[in-house]
Amino acid sequence: MITQIKGLHHVTSMARDAAENNHFFSKTLGLRRVKQTVNFDAPDVYHLYYGDEVGTPGTVMTHFPFPHIARGRPGVGEVGTTVFSVPEGSLGYWQERLAADRVGDLELSESFGEKRLSFRAPEGDALALVENAADARLPWTGNGVDAEHAIRGFHSASLRLRDGGATEELLKFMGYQNAESSGNIHRLIRPDGNPANSIDIEVLPDANRADLGAGSVHHIAFAVENRAAQLEVRKALLDTGYQVTPVIDRDYFWAIYFRTPGGVLFEIATNEPGFDRDEDTAHLGEALKLPKQHEHLRSTLEQTLQPLEEKEPA
């Protein structure tokens, strides 16, 4: 069994409109944009990161905004809902805030004994807030949400699958343990991990396969402390028969990827070196940062990438 995985590292989704994406995650949800860079494989497309003050693993939602991408179609073989943790008693505040911003599909419910507010981002991302009195993480409060209500980071994520058996065995191999079930949803928890330590498997045997597009999760990343731990995990996965990529330098972490039995793309990402490797903490996410192999494109990209925020009138 793999013991090095700590919980979630980040979740990466697809989008279409970079400015709308930036507004929703930073202004509406109150997260900090900790990095604006570009897709390594498509440098004319942003890679935007939102999280807590420093982009702590387990808090970071990231997006690739492809300007002409079609809307995704929900289904099986993908991450279903990305869930954030908020303080106890704060869902009323969030319901009012999201309704005022005309956020769609707002629904209050209770799941696994936790109060939950589900909703969709403007481009269709399935998101939820769960009240968690035990979450002691310090929130980012620089975007207008006070500490009594602010998002602490991820709570969990759900995987929508036709058959959850093989993926459940994989998660157990990755150090997760059975927790509880509710209807067609089975929860697994990584003991002694970071606070983003839960994965829900939602079994939908008759559902269609998902189509990737705006509002879809591209991949879900799990955290390991460092490169040595990542290499140990890679070897264990290869020995078990998974096809795993070589280690890839993503500037702010090192990454490996593999496809799960249910079709979801998993990443194992290191907690090092972090988002402050090329920016002071006080100014994270303010400047466009480019991978060294794309630095020669800076003048072009600065002219062609969509502005993220409206300029103040003169």
Side-chain angles (χ1 to χ4, degrees):
M1 184 180 73
I2 293 170
T3 60
Q4 297 88 345
I5 289 171
K6 303 298 182 183
L8 293 181
H9 187 284
H10 65 270
V11 176
T12 294
S13 291
M14 311 292 285
R16 181 168 43 205
D17 188 297
E20 181 181 55
N21 181 264
N22 179 73
H23 176 87
F24 182 76
F25 283 91
S26 62
K27 306 303 182 185
T28 302
L29 294 188
L31 301 175
R32 185 182 194 187
R33 189 181 71 224
V34 293
K35 195 64 59 181
Q36 55 169 313
T37 182
V38 295
N39 186 308
F40 272 59
D41 302 314
D44 58 335
V45 173
Y46 279 117
H47 193 177
L48 303 175
Y49 294 76
Y50 310 95
D52 67 1
E53 182 179 8
V54 297
T56 304
T59 74
V60 181
M61 187 92 190
T62 98
H63 284 82
F64 300 135
F66 283 84
H68 305 295
I69 194 172
R71 185 78 169 256
R73 185 184 70 179
V76 293
E78 67 172 354
V79 173
T81 305
T82 303
V83 185
F84 296 94
S85 172
V86 295
E88 189 174 28
S90 65
L91 287 187
Y93 166 89
W94 280 107
Q95 187 175 27
E96 290 184 10
R97 182 180 181 88
L98 295 175
D101 213 22
R102 299 183 179 179
V103 173
D105 294 348
L106 285 168
E107 181 182 356
L108 282 168
S109 62
E110 189 166 312
S111 179
F112 295 106
E114 300 165 321
K115 293 180 180 178
R116 177 185 182 106
L117 177 63
S118 302
F119 56 98
R120 287 195 177 274
E123 295 191 301
D125 311 58
L127 304 173
L129 304 173
V130 164
E131 291 187 355
N132 182 1
D135 194 338
R137 288 176 290 182
L138 295 176
W140 170 250
T141 57
N143 285 336
V145 181
D146 60 66
E148 289 182 54
H149 305 104
I151 289 170
R152 267 47 184 172
F154 291 130
H155 170 278
S156 58
S158 70
L159 309 180
R160 284 196 294 244
L161 307 171
R162 281 201 184 125
D163 182 343
T167 299
E168 182 176 327
E169 289 306 309
L170 168 62
L171 287 166
K172 289 177 181 177
F173 182 62
M174 292 167 58
Y176 283 77
Q177 296 180 6
N178 289 327
E180 52 187 322
S181 296
S182 176
N184 65 331
I185 300 175
H186 182 58
R187 173 163 291 179
L188 295 98
I189 291 179
R190 175 66 178 92
D192 303 319
N194 66 30
N197 64 352
S198 298
I199 297 290
D200 292 342
I201 294 180
E202 183 178 6
V203 178
L204 300 166
D206 300 319
N208 292 323
R209 295 283 301 180
D211 285 338
L212 185 68
S216 303
V217 170
H218 183 272
H219 63 268
I220 181 171
F222 297 83
V224 292
E225 195 60 42
N226 52 43
R227 296 183 71 185
Q230 184 183 63
L231 290 174
E232 292 171 355
V233 171
R234 183 174 186 271
K235 182 179 186 304
L237 290 167
L238 287 169
D239 289 347
T240 309
Y242 286 95
Q243 302 296 311
V244 187
T245 68
V247 176
I248 302 171
D249 183 356
R250 295 303 193 195
D251 284 354
Y252 311 106
F253 48 87
W254 283 270
I256 57 174
Y257 303 85
F258 66 102
R259 189 73 61 176
T260 68
V264 182
L265 183 60
F266 276 14
E267 175 183 345
I268 309 297
T270 61
N271 289 350
E272 59 179 11
F275 294 100
D276 59 355
R277 67 174 295 272
D278 59 359
E279 287 182 296
D280 183 85
T281 299
H283 299 286
L284 289 179
E286 294 179 7
L288 176 65
K289 296 295 180 180
L290 298 177
K292 59 182 180 295
Q293 65 267 37
H294 297 317
E295 187 59 50
H296 69 286
L297 300 173
R298 177 172 291 278
S299 60
T300 299
L301 294 175
E302 288 179 338
Q303 293 297 316
T304 58
L305 286 169
Q306 180 186 8
L308 295 180
E309 299 176 87
E310 295 181 4
K311 294 182 179 179
E312 295 293 332

